[in-house]
Amino acid sequence: MNKLGKLIAALLAVGIGLFIVVQFIIIPKQNAADEQYVIDQRRPLTHDLENIIPYRFLYMGNASNMINLFNHLPLNEVEKDFELKSDAFTIIVHYHQSVSEIGTSLVNQSIIYNSTAAFALIRNLEKIEYSFPDQSFEVKRKNVEGLYDEFYKLTKSKTVWEKQVRNPLKDKEYIEKCIGSILK
């Protein structure tokens, strides 16, 4: 075999080797990371603030923006319907699963997290009603704003968001205190 033939054979071997590495190692790892990211967006303790920043809007009247926001917040995998009451600056989220099916702890974390996110991103939203088949919750802006210092700076920095909103949700006493405060 001449030099050109050996070079072609060597390049073919390298090409096949690279193809195998890409197809069976790199792409599956990347797909697994993408799948894990989607799963992480379902829970308040792993949710990524950057995932919802595009839904920042001054007014709640943009129905598709509001629906997309809630479809990118924790509990996004739970089937739900939405009702907007623009005159009352209210959104009602009707979940199709009960609190007992989802889990009380996860629902409480999600109510705190989702309400904080929605009020921080939608400036004229005043009330959120979460309706489950077995329970309903009504959350008002003023009660959520009272939980945080400098409420409107929460979404300006991922670090601030994690420190003031996400990380405290690991503490059960904090959750109980917040739920008591925002649902009064």
Side-chain angles (χ1 to χ4, degrees):
M1 193 185 279
N2 63 19
K3 287 184 180 182
L4 184 60
K6 289 180 184 179
L7 180 61
I8 290 173
L11 288 174
L12 182 62
V14 169
I16 290 172
L18 288 173
F19 176 79
I20 290 171
V21 168
V22 168
Q23 286 296 317
F24 298 106
I25 297 174
I26 294 174
I27 290 176
K29 281 184 181 179
Q30 186 176 13
N31 288 345
D34 291 346
E35 288 174 20
Q36 186 60 46
Y37 181 81
V38 169
I39 291 168
D40 288 347
Q41 299 318 294
R42 297 177 181 168
R43 303 293 174 257
L45 297 178
T46 54
H47 189 267
D48 182 12
L49 172 67
E50 299 299 320
N51 195 29
I52 57 173
I53 291 297
Y55 304 106
R56 180 188 317 262
F57 205 72
L58 291 175
Y59 309 106
M60 65 156 292
N62 184 338
S64 65
N65 189 67
M66 290 293 293
I67 292 168
N68 280 321
L69 171 62
F70 277 89
N71 283 333
H72 285 85
L73 285 168
L75 297 183
N76 59 28
E77 80 282 7
V78 178
E79 188 178 342
K80 60 192 146 307
D81 297 315
F82 300 92
E83 184 179 341
L84 293 178
K85 294 186 175 181
S86 297
D87 55 325
F89 304 109
T90 300
I91 184 169
I92 304 170
V93 185
H94 298 279
Y95 289 95
H96 296 231
Q97 278 186 312
S98 66
V99 171
S100 57
E101 288 176 284
I102 298 168
T104 304
S105 177
L106 177 58
V107 168
N108 287 342
Q109 285 177 336
S110 298
I111 286 173
I112 296 165
Y113 188 94
N114 294 359
S115 299
T116 302
F119 290 132
L121 294 172
I122 309 297
R123 290 298 173 113
N124 76 338
L125 180 63
E126 290 297 324
K127 185 168 65 171
I128 304 169
E129 295 178 24
Y130 299 94
S131 175
F132 297 87
D134 58 343
Q135 278 183 281
S136 291
F137 306 93
E138 182 179 287
V139 181
K140 294 180 180 174
R141 172 182 285 280
K142 66 180 180 177
N143 295 344
V144 172
E145 285 180 350
L147 296 175
Y148 307 99
D149 296 328
E150 301 182 16
F151 182 75
Y152 291 103
K153 292 185 178 179
L154 291 176
T155 58
K156 300 289 185 200
S157 160
K158 192 173 182 175
T159 306
V160 171
W161 181 262
E162 289 175 5
K163 182 180 176 189
Q164 291 190 31
V165 180
R166 192 171 81 180
N167 291 343
L169 293 175
K170 296 174 187 172
D171 181 5
K172 289 182 182 182
E173 289 178 20
Y174 174 83
I175 294 168
E176 289 174 19
K177 178 183 144 225
C178 286
I179 286 293
S181 295
I182 66 174
L183 296 181
K184 44 177 161 161

Coordinates of all heavy atoms in Angstrom, one line a residue, residues 1 5 26 42 48 66 97 102 105 115 118 120 129 136 148-149 154 157 169 173 180:
M1 N 0.9 -1.2 0.0 CA 0.0 0.0 0.0 C 0.9 1.2 0.0 O 1.9 1.3 0.8 CB -0.9 0.0 1.3 CG -2.0 1.0 1.2 SD -3.0 1.1 2.7 CE -4.1 -0.3 2.6
G5 N -2.6 5.7 0.3 CA -3.5 4.7 0.7 C -3.5 4.6 2.3 O -4.5 4.5 2.9
I26 N -20.6 11.7 23.7 CA -20.9 13.1 23.8 C -22.4 13.4 23.7 O -22.9 14.1 24.6 CB -20.1 13.9 22.8 CG1 -18.6 13.7 23.1 CG2 -20.5 15.4 22.8 CD1 -17.6 14.4 22.1
R42 N -39.0 21.7 37.5 CA -40.2 21.3 38.1 C -40.3 21.6 39.6 O -41.4 21.5 40.2 CB -40.5 19.8 37.8 CG -40.7 19.5 36.4 CD -40.9 18.0 36.2 NE -41.0 17.7 34.8 CZ -40.9 16.5 34.3 NH1 -40.8 15.5 35.1 NH2 -41.1 16.3 33.0
D48 N -34.3 27.3 37.8 CA -33.4 28.3 37.3 C -34.1 29.6 37.0 O -35.0 29.6 36.1 CB -32.7 27.8 36.1 CG -31.6 28.7 35.5 OD1 -31.3 29.7 36.2 OD2 -31.2 28.5 34.4
M66 N -48.4 35.5 30.5 CA -48.8 35.0 31.9 C -48.8 33.4 31.9 O -48.3 32.8 32.8 CB -50.1 35.5 32.3 CG -50.2 37.0 32.6 SD -49.2 37.4 34.1 CE -50.2 36.6 35.4
Q97 N -54.6 18.2 39.6 CA -54.2 17.2 40.6 C -54.4 17.8 42.0 O -54.2 19.1 42.2 CB -52.7 16.9 40.5 CG -52.4 15.8 39.4 CD -51.0 15.4 39.5 OE1 -50.1 16.2 39.5 NE2 -50.8 14.1 39.4
I102 N -49.9 15.7 44.9 CA -48.6 16.3 44.6 C -47.7 16.3 45.8 O -46.5 16.1 45.6 CB -48.9 17.8 44.1 CG1 -49.7 17.8 42.8 CG2 -47.6 18.5 43.9 CD1 -50.2 19.2 42.5
S105 N -45.8 19.6 51.0 CA -44.5 20.3 51.1 C -44.1 20.9 49.8 O -43.8 22.1 49.7 CB -43.4 19.3 51.6 OG -42.2 20.0 51.6
S115 N -45.4 32.5 43.5 CA -46.0 33.8 43.8 C -44.9 34.9 43.8 O -45.1 35.9 43.2 CB -46.7 33.7 45.1 OG -47.7 32.8 45.1
A118 N -43.9 35.5 40.1 CA -44.9 36.1 39.3 C -45.1 37.6 39.7 O -45.1 38.5 38.8 CB -46.2 35.4 39.5
A120 N -42.8 39.5 41.2 CA -41.6 40.2 40.8 C -41.5 40.5 39.3 O -40.9 41.5 38.9 CB -40.4 39.4 41.3
E129 N -54.7 33.2 42.6 CA -55.4 32.1 43.2 C -55.0 30.8 42.7 O -55.0 30.6 41.4 CB -56.9 32.4 43.0 CG -57.5 33.6 43.6 CD -58.9 33.9 43.3 OE1 -59.7 32.9 43.0 OE2 -59.3 35.0 43.3
S136 N -57.8 25.4 47.9 CA -57.5 26.6 47.2 C -56.7 27.6 48.1 O -56.8 27.5 49.3 CB -58.8 27.3 46.8 OG -59.5 26.5 45.9
Y148 N -39.8 40.1 51.8 CA -38.4 40.4 51.3 C -38.1 41.9 51.4 O -38.9 42.7 51.3 CB -38.3 40.0 49.8 CG -38.8 38.6 49.5 CD1 -40.0 38.3 49.0 CD2 -37.9 37.5 49.7 CE1 -40.4 37.0 48.8 CE2 -38.3 36.2 49.5 CZ -39.6 36.0 49.0 OH -39.9 34.7 48.8
D149 N -36.8 42.1 51.7 CA -36.2 43.4 51.6 C -36.0 43.7 50.1 O -35.5 42.9 49.4 CB -34.9 43.5 52.4 CG -35.1 43.3 53.9 OD1 -36.2 43.6 54.4 OD2 -34.2 42.7 54.5
L154 N -35.0 41.4 43.6 CA -34.9 40.0 43.6 C -34.5 39.3 42.3 O -33.7 38.4 42.2 CB -36.2 39.3 44.1 CG -36.6 39.5 45.6 CD1 -37.9 38.9 45.8 CD2 -35.5 39.0 46.5
S157 N -30.6 39.7 40.0 CA -29.3 38.9 40.2 C -29.7 37.5 40.5 O -30.5 37.3 41.5 CB -28.4 39.5 41.2 OG -27.5 38.6 41.7
L169 N -36.1 28.0 51.1 CA -37.2 27.0 51.0 C -36.8 25.6 51.4 O -37.6 24.7 51.5 CB -37.7 27.0 49.5 CG -38.4 28.2 49.0 CD1 -38.8 28.1 47.6 CD2 -39.7 28.5 49.9
E173 N -39.5 25.3 58.8 CA -40.0 26.4 59.6 C -40.2 27.7 58.8 O -41.2 28.4 59.0 CB -39.1 26.7 60.8 CG -39.1 25.6 61.8 CD -38.2 25.8 63.0 OE1 -37.8 27.0 63.2 OE2 -37.8 24.8 63.6
G180 N -48.0 31.0 56.3 CA -48.9 31.7 57.2 C -49.0 33.2 56.9 O -50.0 33.8 57.0

